[in-house]
Every structure is written in C-alpha cells, then in structure tokens.
Amino acid sequence: MPKVFIKTYGCQMNERDSEQVATMFIDGGYTMTDREHEADVILINTCSVREKAELKALGKMGLLTRRPEAKPHVVYGFMGCMAQSKGDELFRALPRLDLVIGTQKYHHIFRYVDDILRKRLERRMDDLSLSLAGSSVCDTDEETGSQNAIRDHLAQTGHSSAFVSIMQGCEMRCSYCIVPSTRGAERSRPMQDIIDEVESLVRQGIKEVTLLGQIVNRYGKDEHAVDGKSAFVRLLEQLNGIDGLERIRFTSPHPIGFREDLVNAYRYLPKLCSHIHFPMQSGSDRILKLMRRPYKNEKYISLCESMREARPDLAITTDIIVGFPGETEEDYLETKRAVERIGFDNAFIFQYSPRKDTPAAAMDGQLPQSVKEARNQDLLATVNAIAIEKNAALVGTEQLILVEGPSKTNADRLSGRTPQNKPVIIEGGSELIGKIVPVRITESTGFTLYGEIAPC
Ligand code: 5AD
Ligand code: SF4
C-alpha cells in the first residue's frame, strides 16, 4: 500500500480540503502517514494570504525534494492557493516537483498521483537505472460544481467536532487580498447535501460542526429570502434541528450581508455557539475605504453591539491588518481605539503583506517593516491585556465543555472548549472525550483556563 504524507498550511478551509484529498487516497487503497521520510506521495497544501506562508511552503518542498535519502519514485505535489496563483512557474523553482493542483481540482489529485506512481513503479521493475523524475501535471482551471466535491470525511473515531465546507470562493475584491483570484467566484453547495453530510457526521459521534466558507454568511446568496431569512440562516435553522448535534459554529462572516435575520439567530438557535470570528480589518474609515471594505467602523461596531444584545455572553474575535499602505499613526490609533471599545476576546493581527496582482500592492505609501512591526507589537499588547482580563472574569463560573481529547501540553489531562471557544484543561478519564460536561473554572493563566467537573 503506497503511503501519502500531506502537510497543510493556511486556514481551516485548507485543513478541510486536505481531509477530502486524504479520503480519496484511502478509498483508492493508499494509507496516510505523518512521517514524511516513509511516504511515496508528498503533498503540500499551500496558502497565499501572506508572503510568509508561501515562503514556508516553498522552503519545505525544497527540503523534501532535495533529501539525498529520498526514494526516486516519490511523487511530489503542491495543491491549494499558492498552486493556483503560481501555476507552472513552480516547476521552474522546483525541478523535482510533479504536480501543481489548483483549488477547484482536488477531486482529480488521486487520479493524477496514482497514474504517475504506477508508471514509475512499473518502469522501475523493468530498469532500475531509468530516470524516474520529470512527469509533470499542472491543473489550475475552473471547474463547475467543484464546491460539491468537498463532502467526504475521514473516520471520525475519537473526534467530537468536524469542519463542513458549505461554500467556496469570494467576490468581494478587498484591495489587499489574493483570495478572490485563488478561490474563484462564490459557489454554494445544495442545502440538502450539507444537511445529509452533518447527519452522517452526527451518526459517527460528531457533536459540533464548524461551517466553512470564505464569506460564509453569503451562502446561497442568489436565493431569495424566505420569511425574511437568508439561505444561510435557513441552513442554520435546519442544522439546529438535527438530533444529536449539539453545537454549530461558522467561519468567517463578512459585515456585508450580515443582516437582522442572522443577528436574531443568536436569540432563538440554542445550538449556535456564543462565539463569532468577525474580521474587522481596520478601525479607520479611511483605510477601510482604501481596503475596499464596504462598511464604516461604526457599522461594524453596531453589528457587534446588536449581536451582544441578542446573545449577552457572545465572545467576539477578529482579524486586523496593520501597516496597510498609507496607514497613518492616527489611522492606526483609530484601530486601537476600536479594539479597546469593542473588547475582543482575541484577535489575529497581521502585518500587511503585498500580494501579486492586488490593487493595494501598487498603492503609494507602502510602509517600512519597522512601522508594521511596531504597530503589530503595540496592538498585540492591547489585545492580550483584554483577552487575559476576559479569561480571568470566567474564574468561578460554570461552563459547558465539549471534551476534545488529551491536552497537548500534558497527555494526562483533557482539553475541551466552552461555547465561547475558549480552551479549558480538566482532569478526567478518556471516557469523557466527546462528551459535554459542566465544569467550574478554577484558574486562568492568561490564555488557558483550568477547571474541575462540577458536581451535578
Ligand atoms: N496582508 C496581510 N494580511 C492579510 N490578510 C488577507 N490578506 C492579507 C495581506 N495581503 C488577513 C486578513 C484576513 C486574514 C485571513 O488574513 O485579515 O481576514
Ligand atoms: Fe490562505 Fe485564503 Fe487560501 Fe485559506 S483561502 S489557504 S487563508 S489564501
């Protein structure tokens, strides 16, 4: 049985796509391995959002293809956003590379790989001296219906939560972002397919699903609202009705298309978790306009306030870019003030990275690395102070924890998450994995909470 190693960079969408690819190899008689040196097939699923992510993937593939001990028949492939954006130029950078597969072609990877591997192994039996390198496939075309191909899952043994991809693509054209060109136009899956997938996951023991999409709340955007409810809210309602499913999350929504019906969903859908990851990007209206984000900071803040009114314990996390071209000190301070005013539970802060063929990369006022770094550090200190304070306020409260598995730092303890998506470490046996248990929070060490199972 040939062995496949997949390394994934980037977002949860990529994690999910890699899982889909893995299922296809398993169905085809291969096995997965997490040891790269024993693999017959090495795939890297790449991210293009920042230059750093691309460099990491290129560096990793460079190391893997140049290992002197590597077996000559090994098939090497790039998939994902960088594969889509760079295409066959990757073969010039890495002569030993065999495959470059774009974001709408994952369901063909198995066939391409299996074909190359078979030919190599057959030839090797005939003549060991034959050169085995040099076959190359680049497939980065668009494909109608490709969003429907991300639907299979690995066996869910020992897992309590799963990702479900409900739409692909983005048409927002934010001026800094490469995603519209790597992921293509917005395409949604049929609602019944998603419901069937979630029901099947629940039958396998899954308690929590996270719905994924580049702009997840634009799911089914071309469908008419029914009783004032968008397709996305109707999907949430349907999933809320599935017996055995306990928790629903989604990521990432955009303020555009975030209407009253979705805010209200936090009032009447008990399975919708009290956490939203809601990218703000900037607190300065001037910068938001340059970013081509079609909302003002006040609008973003009022949406956060409405959601908190609908669900008082809602945790809000966000993405923020610092050092966008032309960002003045005053623009940056507006972002910082917005962060303080909203009081995010946490935030990912990104230093602006110019991306290929995006309008912002050609804008005047590109900032030096030192300014980006200083704003990043300063904002991080603010974000962390608020996050620590929010976690400390949870000490003494009782939280329902979905137990995920052994803690990564100490395998004798268990780790789980609150509805607000905060990790909690508890003592307990493996029989608790996959269960939702009441826990009293006893301690917070800044970012990690500790608790003990509350007596019934
Ligand atoms: N530079 C820095 N950060 C970026 N992001 C997207 N494009 C860029 C870029 N060119 C950030 C945004 C987005 C997150 C996934 O990555 O904040 O929400
Ligand atoms: Fe990175 Fe965006 Fe692609 Fe996800 S969709 S891997 S964040 S470029």
Side-chain angles (χ1 to χ4, degrees):
M1 272 196 207
K3 293 195 169 112
V4 187
F5 170 83
I6 306 182
K7 168 91 187 155
T8 305
Y9 294 97
C11 60
Q12 288 134 325
M13 206 84 172
N14 269 17
E15 295 286 344
R16 177 70 195 101
D17 295 338
S18 292
E19 183 186 18
Q20 175 67 45
V21 170
T23 65
M24 292 183 295
F25 277 97
I26 288 171
D27 289 348
Y30 287 49
T31 54
M32 301 306 296
T33 175
D34 49 14
R35 287 186 230 154
E36 50 203 44
H37 65 269
E38 62 176 39
D40 304 288
V41 180
I42 292 189
L43 297 173
I44 300 190
N45 195 354
T46 57
C47 173
S48 279
V49 142
R50 284 167 297 278
E51 191 187 14
K52 234 192 228 166
E54 292 192 345
L55 294 176
K56 261 197 217 162
L58 285 167
K60 178 82 184 166
M61 188 61 99
L63 281 177
L64 288 171
T65 53
R66 282 195 293 270
R67 285 170 312 160
E69 76 284 7
K71 293 168 273 181
H73 69 269
V74 175
V75 179
Y76 297 93
F78 270 133
M79 54 192 261
C81 290
M82 184 179 69
Q84 184 71 42
S85 113
K86 292 197 186 285
D88 56 13
E89 83 185 60
L90 290 165
F91 293 119
R92 291 194 285 283
L94 293 154
R96 186 64 184 79
L97 191 64
D98 299 295
L99 289 156
V100 174
I101 304 294
T103 54
Q104 303 196 25
K105 294 292 184 179
Y106 296 133
H107 47 300
H108 300 300
I109 293 186
F110 172 72
R111 188 167 46 83
Y112 288 136
V113 167
D114 192 51
D115 199 41
I116 298 175
L117 190 62
R118 258 174 220 283
K119 282 191 190 132
R120 283 193 185 157
L121 293 174
E122 276 163 20
R123 262 193 281 168
R124 196 166 60 157
M125 279 175 213
D126 297 343
D127 180 357
L128 276 173
S129 67
L130 212 72
S131 162
L132 297 168
S135 28
S136 61
V137 174
C138 180
D139 190 353
T140 55
D141 291 342
E142 286 179 15
E143 188 171 316
T144 311
S146 60
Q147 73 276 17
N148 301 330
I150 312 294
R151 48 152 203 239
D152 303 311
H153 293 259
L154 293 171
Q156 298 300 325
T157 354
H159 291 171
S160 50
S161 73
F163 292 130
V164 174
S165 170
I166 66 165
M167 59 87 71
Q168 294 263 345
C170 173
E171 290 163 14
M172 296 310 292
R173 311 237 159 246
C174 298
S175 63
Y176 51 82
C177 190
I178 199 168
V179 171
S181 76
T182 61
R183 290 278 176 173
E186 290 170 23
R187 290 110 53 214
S188 296
R189 294 177 61 202
M191 197 177 292
Q192 193 57 49
D193 287 8
I194 300 168
I195 296 167
D196 292 347
E197 182 175 329
V198 174
E199 284 178 340
S200 146
L201 287 165
V202 169
R203 282 195 294 275
Q204 295 172 66
I206 290 296
K207 298 272 178 8
E208 171 185 276
V209 291
T210 303
L211 309 179
L212 299 178
Q214 266 83 33
I215 301 199
V216 71
N217 54 319
R218 299 241 300 173
Y219 169 77
K221 70 175 167 51
D222 297 329
E223 287 179 38
H224 291 296
V226 178
D227 299 332
K229 289 173 187 161
S230 64
F232 182 60
V233 170
R234 282 182 278 126
L235 174 64
L236 293 176
E237 287 180 348
Q238 292 285 327
L239 299 181
N240 192 75
I242 294 180
D243 274 349
L245 182 68
E246 305 279 353
R247 292 181 168 188
I248 305 166
R249 302 182 186 276
F250 57 82
T251 195
S252 288
H254 191 292
I256 280 302
F258 206 111
R259 302 211 174 82
E260 201 54 29
D261 59 332
L262 183 48
V263 172
N264 271 333
Y266 283 99
R267 291 182 208 280
Y268 68 91
L269 294 181
K271 295 182 182 175
L272 192 56
C273 285
S274 294
H275 168 238
I276 186 161
H277 183 72
F278 194 33
M280 176 176 87
Q281 309 301 2
S282 171
S284 151
D285 288 344
R286 208 180 66 81
I287 294 298
L288 285 171
K289 196 162 178 205
L290 287 172
M291 287 177 162
R292 295 200 196 152
R293 301 280 293 181
Y295 55 88
K296 298 235 182 334
N297 188 240
E298 267 313 315
K299 165 78 186 167
Y300 177 88
I301 292 178
S302 82
L303 275 171
C304 291
E305 284 169 354
S306 309
M307 282 188 284
R308 279 181 173 151
E309 203 255 313
R311 182 68 72 83
D313 69 339
L314 187 76
I316 306 178
T317 57
T318 197
D319 289 344
I320 294 168
I321 298 177
V322 291
F324 186 82
E327 185 188 68
T328 62
E329 191 61 20
E330 182 48 32
D331 291 318
Y332 165 68
L333 290 174
E334 283 187 32
T335 298
K336 188 169 161 175
R337 283 194 288 269
V339 165
E340 286 163 344
R341 181 168 159 201
I342 297 162
F344 291 111
D345 289 76
N346 214 338
F348 294 113
I349 304 166
F350 302 107
Q351 297 178 26
Y352 170 70
S353 166
R355 308 311 300 128
K356 188 176 101 173
D357 300 333
T358 57
M363 283 180 187
D364 290 340
Q366 303 285 329
L367 295 177
Q369 189 54 38
S370 55
V371 172
K372 295 182 192 174
E373 186 63 42
R375 289 180 186 168
N376 187 159
Q377 289 310 325
D378 185 62
L379 194 57
L380 193 62
T382 303
V383 164
N384 286 350
I386 299 170
I388 289 169
E389 201 180 301
K390 294 216 169 216
N391 278 352
L394 291 174
V395 174
T397 65
E398 196 175 298
Q399 302 284 329
L400 288 172
I401 308 296
L402 173 56
V403 182
E404 289 170 344
S407 150
K408 285 202 179 90
T409 48
N410 178 349
D412 294 336
R413 290 190 291 192
L414 297 171
S415 150
R417 277 173 195 271
T418 68
Q420 295 186 325
N421 210 29
K422 309 220 182 222
V424 181
I425 308 291
I426 58 170
E427 305 279 343
S430 59
E431 72 283 356
L432 294 178
I433 295 173
K435 301 232 160 53
I436 294 187
V437 290
V439 163
R440 208 172 63 81
I441 306 298
T442 52
E443 193 189 344
S444 164
T445 58
F447 298 104
T448 312
L449 297 170
Y450 294 84
E452 53 196 32
I453 296 182
C456 297

